[in-house]
């Protein structure tokens, strides 16, 4: 296993601050309405919090697995289920990365990373 490095800690603190400002204030309304606005997904993507392990060739950061673990841990701490970035980034998108054709990867992965395509 790769030990956490300072870059991982910086990523975690950045994500925590983002969640405090951009996600947590709106969770109750999203849960009540039964929908998360696309803008929340786009903001996650703009800040590099979606699909961090997607290779750079497809618009991702090509980050190691611990970045994905950090996103899962911090999203879990928000205690809501509407913005399911962990299902999107950690379950669905890896199937595209592993099994899609090159053409499909070029089409879908950059959009998954940016939040333009929501897979879950």
């Amino acid at each position: 296993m790769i030990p956490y490095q300072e870059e991982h800690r910086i990523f975690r603190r950045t994500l925590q601050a983002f969640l405090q400002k951009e996600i947590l204030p709106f969770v109750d309304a999203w849960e009540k309405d039964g929908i998360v606005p696309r803008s929340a997904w786009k903001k996650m993507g703009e800040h590099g919090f979606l699909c961090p392990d997607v290779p750079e060739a497809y618009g991702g950061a090509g980050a190691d697995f611990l970045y994905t673990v950090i996103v899962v841990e911090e999203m879990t701490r928000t205690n809501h289920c509407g913005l399911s970035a962990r299902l999107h980034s950690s379950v669905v998108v890896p199937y595209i990365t592993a099994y899609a054709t090159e053409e499909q990867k070029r089409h879908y992965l950059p959009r998954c990373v940016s939040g333009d395509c929501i897979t879950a």
Side-chain angles (χ1 to χ4, degrees):
M1 172 118 147
I2 304 166
Y4 284 107
Q5 302 294 319
E6 184 58 23
E7 294 81 14
H8 296 110
R9 292 190 247 320
I10 292 167
F11 181 79
R12 183 182 301 276
R13 288 190 301 268
T14 303
L15 176 57
Q16 289 170 336
F18 172 85
L19 294 172
Q20 282 291 331
K21 180 181 179 193
E22 302 289 346
I23 303 302
L24 289 174
F26 309 103
V27 166
D28 289 340
W30 296 344
E31 294 287 319
K32 180 179 172 260
D33 296 342
I35 191 165
V36 174
R38 183 171 295 275
S39 61
W41 288 91
K42 296 282 294 172
K43 286 179 184 178
M44 290 281 293
E46 289 168 12
H47 288 85
F49 302 132
L50 297 177
C51 315
D53 61 335
V54 166
E56 290 179 26
Y58 304 110
D64 64 57
F65 182 68
L66 287 179
Y67 286 87
T68 300
V69 171
I70 291 166
V71 173
V72 170
E73 289 175 342
E74 296 306 323
M75 289 298 298
T76 300
R77 286 187 176 99
T78 66
N79 198 30
H80 80 287
C81 61
L83 179 60
S84 190
R86 53 196 172 267
L87 180 57
H88 170 80
S89 296
S90 305
V91 177
V92 179
V93 170
Y95 279 101
I96 297 170
T97 304
Y99 299 112
T101 66
E102 186 61 31
E103 181 180 344
Q104 291 168 327
K105 289 177 187 181
R106 283 193 312 271
H107 178 76
Y108 288 106
L109 290 176
R111 296 172 60 227
C112 291
V113 169
S114 70
D116 288 317
C117 178
I118 302 167
T119 63

